[in-house]
Amino acid sequence: MKPYLVAIAAMLPLLTYAKDNSLSYPRRAEALRIDGHVKVIYDVNNKGVVENIRFIEASPKHSFEKSIREQMRHWHFKANDAKRDVPLDVTFKAN
């Protein structure tokens, strides 16, 4: 299985609300073949924009957080469907 497919599989329940929201394996972590797992909680405002991204767990620390935060800032959901404390678990496997 490709590394990015693991991340997308973790997000499948959320994709029904989303337009083209995905996460790719952070380049540096993939180049170094680093496996990892992160647990994120985030909010979606009334405009459908992701905000208040909080990392609950990250292993290894500082390997995935910056890239995931930057990618999630580009996500968009349906307007007028605000959500709070949406959980997201992502596992990266370098194969």
Side-chain angles (χ1 to χ4, degrees), residues 41-75:
I41 295 178
Y42 64 94
D43 300 334
V44 178
N45 67 23
N46 277 330
K47 293 180 182 178
V49 176
V50 172
E51 59 186 17
N52 197 19
I53 300 167
R54 287 108 54 212
F55 289 88
I56 305 305
E57 181 181 311
S59 176
K61 287 203 176 281
H62 311 297
S63 295
F64 300 98
E65 296 97 312
K66 180 178 178 184
S67 177
I68 289 175
R69 184 182 311 275
E70 288 173 4
Q71 292 179 63
M72 289 179 72
R73 286 185 178 145
H74 297 285
W75 287 7

Side-chain angles (χ1 to χ4, degrees), residues 68-92:
I68 289 175
R69 184 182 311 275
E70 288 173 4
Q71 292 179 63
M72 289 179 72
R73 286 185 178 145
H74 297 285
W75 287 7
H76 293 282
F77 294 84
K78 289 187 335 187
N80 301 318
D81 191 19
K83 299 192 181 310
R84 295 183 82 49
D85 300 329
V86 179
L88 174 64
D89 288 349
V90 183
T91 298
F92 293 99

